[in-house]
């Protein structure tokens, strides 16, 4: 089993911070391990205080649910098959975009959570870090495709 190191978490935060700055955002960025425990966190200048816990919970949710948090958005709406899921786990499940699991192959080794912009913007910042993580694992893919609710975006950035 591969563990996510503090060194790697710091590198991913740096990538996410750079992407956030490029987008004109001030973000809270959290990295958790495969058990959802916080490894590293950064609050950029002017980032909202409320985003501290939101980013940590987005990272936790991505690991706990084994999927990007944006995948929960539609299903959690009234009438959806997972309506009310965000009220479980003491309200810790987040259904907003911006949380993405970190994987090596099929194994989840951690997660990233970002809070500072819209759900789509947060997911874009998180996706930049996921792309960097994949590159670090030798799975370099110049284009990361992430599905965010009903919105599709493609991110390509170097690191």
């Amino acid at each position: 089993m591969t563990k996510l190191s503090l060194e790697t978490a710091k590198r991913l935060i740096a990538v996410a911070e750079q992407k956030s700055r490029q987008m004109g955002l001030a973000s809270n960025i959290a990295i958790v391990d495969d058990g959802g425990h916080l490894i590293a966190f950064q609050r950029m200048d002017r980032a909202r205080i409320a985003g501290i816990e939101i980013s940590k919970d987005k990272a936790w949710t991505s690991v706990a649910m084994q999927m990007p948090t944006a995948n929960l958005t539609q299903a959690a709406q009234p009438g959806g098959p997972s309506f009310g899921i965000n009220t479980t786990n003491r309200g810790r499940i987040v259904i907003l975009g911006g949380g993405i699991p970190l994987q090596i192959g099929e194994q989840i080794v951690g997660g990233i959570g970002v809070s500072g912009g819209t759900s789509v913007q947060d997911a874009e910042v998180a996706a930049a870090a996921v792309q960097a993580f994949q590159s670090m694992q030798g799975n370099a893919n110049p284009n990361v495709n992430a599905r965010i609710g009903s919105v599709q975006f493609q991110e390509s950035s170097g690191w």
Side-chain angles (χ1 to χ4, degrees):
M1 176 179 231
T2 304
K3 291 289 185 185
L4 193 59
S5 70
L6 176 59
E7 166 100 11
T8 298
K10 288 178 179 180
R11 290 176 70 187
L12 298 179
I13 284 178
V15 170
E17 180 183 0
Q18 179 182 13
K19 182 65 175 176
S20 184
R21 286 187 194 291
Q22 288 172 354
M23 296 173 64
L25 301 173
S27 297
N28 291 284
I29 306 159
I31 306 287
V32 300
D33 65 15
D34 61 341
H37 305 286
L38 188 65
I39 296 175
F41 173 82
Q42 182 163 308
R43 178 175 174 247
M44 294 173 63
D45 292 342
R46 300 179 336 279
R48 293 183 186 107
I49 294 170
I52 295 169
E53 294 305 317
I54 294 169
S55 65
K56 289 194 267 184
D57 287 347
K58 284 181 181 184
W60 180 86
T61 299
S62 74
V63 171
M65 297 299 292
Q66 301 177 1
M67 68 178 71
T69 56
N71 290 8
L72 296 168
T73 303
Q74 291 298 340
Q77 297 304 310
S82 298
F83 176 65
I85 194 166
N86 53 306
T87 65
T88 66
N89 293 275
R90 295 185 199 107
R92 194 164 186 198
I93 301 262
V94 178
I95 61 171
L96 305 169
I100 304 176
L102 299 168
Q103 293 182 242
I104 297 176
E106 295 298 314
Q107 180 183 355
I108 294 175
V109 296
I112 181 169
V114 177
S115 180
T118 66
S119 288
V120 171
Q121 290 170 324
D122 290 348
E124 190 173 344
V125 171
V130 171
Q131 180 179 345
F133 182 71
Q134 290 172 342
S135 294
M136 292 163 61
Q137 305 311 310
N139 300 329
N141 181 353
N143 296 307
V144 171
N145 291 309
R147 183 120 180 112
I148 304 170
S150 60
V151 177
Q152 179 78 26
F153 79 88
Q154 188 174 49
E155 168 59 26
S156 61
S157 65
W159 122 261

